[in-house]
């Protein structure tokens, strides 16, 4: 290990890159293949064979491409963009931006003036280049034995029928369409159908409650909501349409009504009989959509026309509508997909994310399909019928690239390895991780047990806001360090700043920011450009602030350390503490609540809620359950607190600000690190809380 480290440093001087990557060595080329993953050695090399066939096969090659991408971003990305179909090429500079609020409003534009269509580029373009009969989607249902598939040309037919239907019911360019569907093929079909006609889709994860769905409907006022009658999760059937009905009732209170609710009859879960129905508004997909023609004219849109809205949690209670536009997002999602996973046309690719999150947008639908990939779409859960399901699916479809979240890795790691080893998995060649930091022990299990020590892991750091992967190993290029997302993607200039916003060089830790734009960056928060500027661009002038902490080691590797704002990352799902707090205080017996994240063995972070009851209410198990239920109802099951800690009072400063730092220490039982409590308005509340910890 010492010897390897020294070699690494020895060659560090050979190459120097612009900010972000820091100093990086070319040692890889020298000792490639010599070292293998082991507990003592924190460098893990791609095999010779892998590196040789990779798009980027050495640090040197990466550095050359990276250098150009940051020195001449317009040129670098224009060359790539030219590989897509443009009805009309952009007639303005490929990129124009203002990243500094002191110089006026924040604005980012890529390929402005260019006319294109992302659905055309995903489907028609691939079909014309000879991929008509290639499988676009392999679908695997919740229950083993339920499966389906579509070739690229079949997928185009389905998409066109839905586009025609949507146009027929009055959806026009720029109109919003909310999609509330589980992982059926109809979900990517619906996204692509919207994109084809220039409508703006907003997918809402089908685990969100009716109230969360209503909040999003009220914000973006869709003409149409697309859903299904029911879905099976594991052994349980859930009536999705009932949730949508409840959301409609809720939105109506805010004066928002939806014209059409297109409902797919998901027969695998439940027949349509018995579904509550409102004539005039509710329409069965199967009764209408298949009657429409299988061709549909493309709406050519400006590169800067909106493609989709995706709501995500921030540090206040109101979810933020992250807005992505067409051209830059298209180029970025496709390019990151190709390089981060070393994608080749012969690959079979499976990402376990749901299309309700950004990972499903960029790496189930758009990125892979722009590359003409065969994508596995899985409706079920990884532990049903047992913990070997994922590996059965890998063998069944001969999956070569498998992209998932650390929480899934950790949950399967707890089960017996026999669930893994009963499968062959020999088709696998690249693994991916996203959503939260992957701890080194989970990394090693993923690498050794799942990947048979053969498959590089792309630990991809990115966000809803960034549209695509930002920091990631290129699997053939770098020796990896388990738990590090390694180096920036092309065109991305990450910087680490201190509290004052001053960039820190070399080995350091601080706040992760990004200098200047990349094509996949979000352009605004829907209807609230001011919040966009305040949240992301004002904390550190001149930079995009990610909300994450990060450190960089002596070799220039990046290590993400988690959120530094009031956002908790539970099983890779972003949840604002304020959202959970506002759900809790809506309970009639809750006077006040403060929520913090606490380390959780499987979920990464768990939700820990301190709750003050209204005067005189006694603590009871029943009340605890009812508080948790309130959160499930208002946000969704995935946001349910893991722990309710009764709090006669909360630690506050004299000006009334809750001291979350202290609450975090109490929650994680680091009582000797609670620190100075003398500045609190009522210092004794801390002792009270400690006493009630196990109540
Ligand atoms: C976290 C998901 C460490 C991070 C694509 C970020 C990660 C938030 C990683 C965004 C990773 C995502 N290593 N942390 N590889 N990937 N994160 O918007 O805190 O759902 O800010 O996007 O997840 O979550 P979001």
């Amino acid at each position: 290990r010492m010897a390897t480290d020294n070699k690494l440093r020895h060659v560090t001087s050979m190459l120097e890159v612009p900010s972000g990557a820091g100093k990086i060595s070319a040692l890889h080329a020298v000792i490639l293949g010599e070292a293998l993953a082991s507990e003592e050695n924190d460098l893990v090399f791609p095999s010779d064979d892998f590196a040789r066939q990779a798009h980027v096969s050495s640090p040197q090659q990466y550095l050359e491409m990276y250098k150009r991408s940051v020195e001449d971003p317009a040129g670098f990305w224009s060359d790539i963009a030219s590989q897509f179909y443009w009805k009309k090429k952009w007639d303005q500079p490929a990129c124009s931006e203002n990243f500094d609020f002191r110089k006026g409003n924040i604005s980012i534009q890529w390929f402005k003036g260019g006319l294109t269509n992302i659905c055309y580029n995903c489907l028609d373009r691939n079909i014309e280049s000879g991929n008509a009969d290639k499988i676009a989607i392999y679908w695997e249902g919740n229950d083993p034995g339920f499966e389906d598939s579509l070739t690229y040309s079949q997928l185009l037919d389905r998409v066109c029928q839905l586009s025609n239907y949507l146009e027929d019911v009055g959806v026009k360019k720029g109109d919003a369409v909310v999609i509330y569907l589980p992982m059926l093929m109809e979900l990517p079909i619906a996204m692509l159908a919207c994109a084809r006609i220039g409508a703006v889709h907003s997918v809402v994860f089908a685990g969100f409650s009716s109230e969360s769905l209503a909040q999003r409907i009220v914000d973006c006022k869709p003409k149409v909501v697309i859903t299904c009658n029911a879905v099976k999760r594991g052994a349980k059937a859930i009536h999705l349409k009932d949730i949508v009905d409840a959301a409609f009732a809720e939105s109506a209170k805010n004066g928002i009504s939806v014209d059409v609710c297109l409902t797919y009859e998901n027969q695998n879960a439940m027949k349509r009989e018995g579904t509550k129905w409102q004539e005039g508004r509710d329409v069965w997909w199967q009764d209408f959509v298949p009657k429409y023609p299988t061709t549909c004219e493309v709406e050519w849109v400006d590169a800067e026309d909106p493609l989709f809205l995706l709501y995500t949690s921030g540090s206040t209670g109101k979810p933020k509508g992250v807005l992505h536009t067409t051209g830059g997002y298209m180029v970025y999602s496709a390019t990151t997909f190709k390089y981060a996973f070393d994608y080749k046309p012969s690959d079979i690719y499976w990402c376990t994310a749901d299309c309700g999150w950004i990972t499903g947008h960029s790496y189930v639908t758009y990125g892979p399909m722009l590359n003409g990939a065969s994508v596995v779409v899985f409706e079920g859960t990884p532990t049903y019928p047992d913990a070997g399901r994922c590996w059965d699916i890998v063998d069944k479809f001969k999956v070569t690239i498998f992209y998932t979240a650390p929480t899934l890795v950790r949950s399967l790691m707890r089960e017996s390895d026999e669930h893994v080893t009963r499968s062959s998995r020999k088709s696998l060649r690249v693994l991916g991780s996203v959503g939260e930091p992957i701890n080194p022990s989970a990394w090693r299990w993923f690498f050794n047990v799942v990947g048979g020590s053969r498959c590089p892991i792309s630990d991809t750091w990115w966000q809803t806001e960034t549209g695509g992967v930002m920091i990631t190993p290129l699997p053939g290029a770098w020796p990896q360090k388990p738990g590090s997302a390694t180096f920036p993607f092309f065109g991305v200039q990450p910087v680490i700043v201190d509290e004052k916003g001053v960039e820190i060089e070399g080995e350091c830790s601080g706040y992760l920011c990004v200098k200047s734009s990349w094509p996949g960056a979000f352009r605004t928060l829907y209807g609230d450009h001011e919040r966009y500027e305040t949240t992301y661009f004002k904390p550190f002038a001149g930079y995009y602030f990610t909300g994450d902490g990060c450190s960089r080691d002596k070799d220039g590797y990046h290590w993400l350390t988690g959120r530094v704002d009031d956002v908790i990352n539970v099983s890779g799902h972003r949840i604002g503490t304020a959202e959970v707090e506002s759900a809790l205080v809506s309970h009639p017996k809750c006077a006040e609540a403060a929520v913090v994240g606490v380390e959780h063995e499987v979920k990464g972070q768990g939700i820990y809620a301190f709750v003050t009851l209204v005067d005189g209410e006694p603590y009871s198990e029943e009340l605890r359950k009812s508080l948790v239920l309130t959160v499930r109802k208002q946000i969704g099951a995935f946001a349910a607190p893991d722990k309710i800690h009764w709090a006669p009072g909360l630690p506050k400063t004299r000006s009334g600000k809750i001291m979350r730092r202290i609450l975090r220490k109490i929650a994680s039982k680091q009582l000797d690190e609670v620190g100075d409590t003398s500045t609190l308005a009522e210092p004794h509340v801390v002792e009270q809380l400690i006493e009630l910890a196990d109540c």
Side-chain angles (χ1 to χ4, degrees):
R1 148 107 197 262
M2 278 296 288
T4 320
D5 263 16
N6 284 339
K7 267 199 203 172
L8 187 57
R9 244 160 308 153
H10 171 70
V11 281
T12 295
S13 52
M14 289 172 55
L15 285 159
E16 211 152 324
V17 240
S19 86
K23 286 180 176 176
I24 304 168
S25 75
L27 132 133
H28 178 63
V30 186
I31 55 167
L32 179 80
E34 273 178 22
L36 279 175
S38 72
E39 292 299 326
E40 309 76 56
N41 184 359
D42 67 357
L43 284 176
V44 181
F45 290 81
S47 71
D48 264 345
D49 286 348
F50 189 94
R52 212 172 294 123
Q53 60 80 55
H55 290 303
V56 182
S57 49
S58 67
Q60 198 119 22
Q61 191 188 346
Y62 160 83
L63 288 168
E64 277 158 22
M65 290 173 74
Y66 181 77
K67 195 158 184 281
R68 168 152 193 247
S69 74
V70 293
E71 286 174 359
D72 175 21
F76 179 88
W77 290 111
S78 294
D79 284 354
I80 294 179
S82 304
Q83 298 159 20
F84 293 90
Y85 181 80
W86 297 83
K87 183 75 182 163
K88 176 175 154 276
K89 239 185 145 184
W90 50 99
D91 48 14
Q92 294 174 38
C95 165
S96 83
E97 69 178 27
N98 175 32
F99 243 51
D100 190 341
F101 66 88
R102 294 164 301 193
K103 297 182 186 150
N105 291 340
I106 301 295
S107 73
I108 300 168
Q109 289 189 333
W110 281 86
F111 314 117
K112 176 84 185 147
L115 287 182
T116 189
N117 183 289
I118 196 168
C119 173
Y120 184 89
N121 275 290
C122 285
L123 305 181
D124 312 58
R125 185 180 57 102
N126 282 315
I127 290 168
E128 278 156 29
S129 66
N131 280 327
D133 297 328
K134 182 172 178 179
I135 298 290
I137 300 178
Y138 287 106
W139 181 78
E140 170 82 3
N142 174 74
D143 290 296
F146 286 79
E147 59 185 42
D148 206 345
S149 66
L150 288 175
T151 62
Y152 268 88
S153 80
Q154 290 167 332
L155 177 59
L156 176 62
D157 290 353
R158 300 275 186 100
V159 166
C160 286
Q161 288 178 322
L162 183 59
S163 294
N164 284 320
Y165 170 82
L166 291 172
E167 279 188 326
D168 209 23
V169 297
V171 177
K172 292 192 189 58
K173 181 180 167 205
D175 288 343
V177 172
V178 163
I179 305 173
Y180 186 71
L181 280 173
M183 288 295 276
L184 303 172
M185 292 201 284
E186 282 64 27
L187 177 43
I189 289 173
M191 296 163 78
L192 291 162
C194 290
R196 191 167 191 88
I197 60 173
V200 182
H201 60 71
S202 182
V203 183
V204 178
F205 171 58
F208 272 112
S209 67
S210 60
E211 290 172 42
S212 295
L213 175 60
Q215 202 173 22
R216 287 154 176 77
I217 290 175
V218 168
D219 196 67
C220 73
K221 304 175 188 61
K223 275 227 165 99
V224 175
V225 171
I226 305 179
T227 187
C228 67
N229 57 337
V231 61
K232 264 187 89 183
R233 289 237 168 80
K236 211 166 88 191
I238 299 161
H239 293 254
L240 276 197
K241 176 66 166 51
D242 286 353
I243 299 175
V244 177
D245 285 349
F248 285 152
E250 188 66 31
S251 329
K253 290 187 202 151
N254 292 283
I256 302 299
S257 67
V258 173
D259 298 345
V260 177
C261 179
L262 182 66
T263 310
Y264 184 80
E265 181 185 6
N266 187 17
Q267 293 199 3
N268 296 337
M270 205 175 288
K271 297 263 182 276
R272 64 170 72 177
E273 287 70 33
T275 308
K276 289 195 202 83
W277 211 242
Q278 183 175 314
E279 287 305 331
R281 181 195 68 195
D282 299 346
V283 176
W284 287 111
W285 176 311
Q286 283 93 331
D287 291 354
F288 289 88
V289 177
K291 294 186 180 142
Y292 282 82
T294 53
T295 55
C296 174
E297 290 274 313
V298 166
E299 179 82 36
W300 300 108
V301 300
D302 191 281
E304 282 302 334
D305 279 337
L307 172 63
F308 67 84
L309 270 178
L310 185 59
Y311 288 87
T312 188
S313 296
S315 45
T316 70
K318 192 172 172 264
K320 305 181 282 198
V322 167
L323 185 117
H324 283 284
T325 56
T326 305
Y329 176 84
M330 172 172 85
V331 171
Y332 198 70
S333 60
T335 311
T336 47
F337 175 76
K338 174 176 164 185
Y339 288 102
F341 303 114
D342 190 47
Y343 170 75
K344 307 284 162 48
S346 55
D347 279 312
I348 308 284
Y349 165 83
W350 180 22
C351 166
T352 63
D354 191 290
C355 286
W357 311 107
I358 190 68
T359 307
H361 282 62
S362 303
Y363 302 112
V364 174
T365 306
Y366 292 115
M369 292 191 188
L370 286 163
N371 282 278
S374 296
V375 182
V376 175
V377 172
F378 175 44
E379 183 195 24
T381 52
T383 49
Y384 178 80
D386 69 27
R389 185 73 189 276
C390 288
W391 323 122
D392 294 345
I393 297 174
V394 165
D395 279 0
K396 176 172 172 183
F397 297 108
K398 309 229 166 2
V399 170
T400 59
I401 305 173
F402 177 71
Y403 188 30
T404 193
T407 183
L408 181 140
V409 175
R410 286 191 299 261
S411 74
L412 298 183
M413 200 175 135
R414 301 207 308 180
E415 312 280 339
S416 141
D417 281 1
E418 274 158 33
H419 287 114
V420 189
T421 50
R422 77 175 188 217
S423 66
S424 136
R425 290 159 287 104
K426 71 172 191 294
S427 54
L428 287 175
R429 59 179 208 96
V430 178
L431 302 173
S433 170
V434 61
E436 43 168 329
I438 180 163
N439 44 309
S441 62
W443 195 101
R444 288 190 186 283
W445 185 83
F446 199 25
F447 183 79
N448 291 320
V449 181
V450 174
S453 312
R454 287 178 288 112
C455 313
I457 299 179
S458 289
D459 175 2
T460 61
W461 173 84
W462 59 295
Q463 310 179 292
T464 305
E465 293 86 342
T466 68
V469 167
M470 298 286 278
I471 302 183
T472 182
L474 298 186
W478 289 112
Q480 285 186 249
K481 298 189 184 189
S484 166
T486 73
F487 299 102
F489 192 72
F490 304 128
V492 175
Q493 300 186 58
V495 295
I496 298 177
V497 303
D498 63 16
E499 307 82 80
K500 297 198 191 79
V502 178
E503 266 182 53
I504 0 182
E505 298 288 334
E507 205 178 334
C508 63
S509 55
Y511 301 97
L512 181 64
C513 290
V514 185
K515 191 153 71 176
S516 80
S517 78
W518 61 99
F522 68 137
R523 307 299 201 246
T524 190
L525 291 178
Y526 181 66
D528 203 347
H529 199 69
E530 200 180 317
R531 188 175 177 197
Y532 173 74
E533 296 183 333
T534 314
T535 312
Y536 300 102
F537 293 92
K538 289 202 174 153
F540 301 107
Y543 303 110
Y544 162 70
F545 173 47
T546 63
D548 276 323
C550 182
S551 59
R552 193 164 45 212
D553 71 16
K554 61 187 185 325
D555 302 318
Y557 282 66
H558 291 80
W559 301 79
L560 277 299
T561 53
R563 303 286 307 193
V564 293
D565 55 7
D566 295 325
V567 171
I568 315 181
N569 197 328
V570 182
S571 302
H573 300 325
R574 258 166 84 168
I575 298 166
T577 53
E579 281 174 84
V580 183
E581 287 163 4
S582 93
L584 286 167
V585 296
S586 75
H587 190 287
K589 294 190 174 160
C590 173
E592 197 171 20
V595 168
V596 296
V598 64
E599 210 175 294
H600 189 287
E601 207 189 320
V602 173
K603 301 183 193 176
Q605 279 190 300
I607 301 180
Y608 196 110
F610 293 87
V611 171
T612 307
L613 296 175
V614 294
D615 270 351
E617 271 305 325
Y619 307 135
S620 73
E621 203 44 39
E622 203 182 320
L623 183 50
R624 200 193 299 266
K625 283 195 189 128
S626 134
L627 285 160
V628 172
L629 189 68
T630 305
V631 180
R632 294 173 73 101
K633 267 193 64 201
Q634 285 200 16
I635 306 175
F638 63 92
D642 297 280
K643 163 93 182 172
I644 302 274
H645 187 138
W646 303 120
L650 293 169
K652 290 180 188 166
T653 60
R654 293 198 185 93
S655 60
K657 198 170 170 287
I658 295 176
M659 297 286 284
R660 284 169 197 280
R661 180 182 56 77
I662 294 178
L663 293 177
R664 272 187 218 111
K665 294 293 175 200
I666 297 175
S668 57
K669 299 206 161 44
Q670 293 168 297
L671 300 180
D672 45 347
E673 289 174 33
V674 166
D676 184 13
T677 55
S678 62
T679 56
L680 294 177
E682 295 172 285
H684 70 278
V685 300
V686 173
E687 280 138 54
Q688 282 179 338
L689 287 178
I690 294 173
E691 273 166 32
L692 286 167
D694 298 314
C695 259

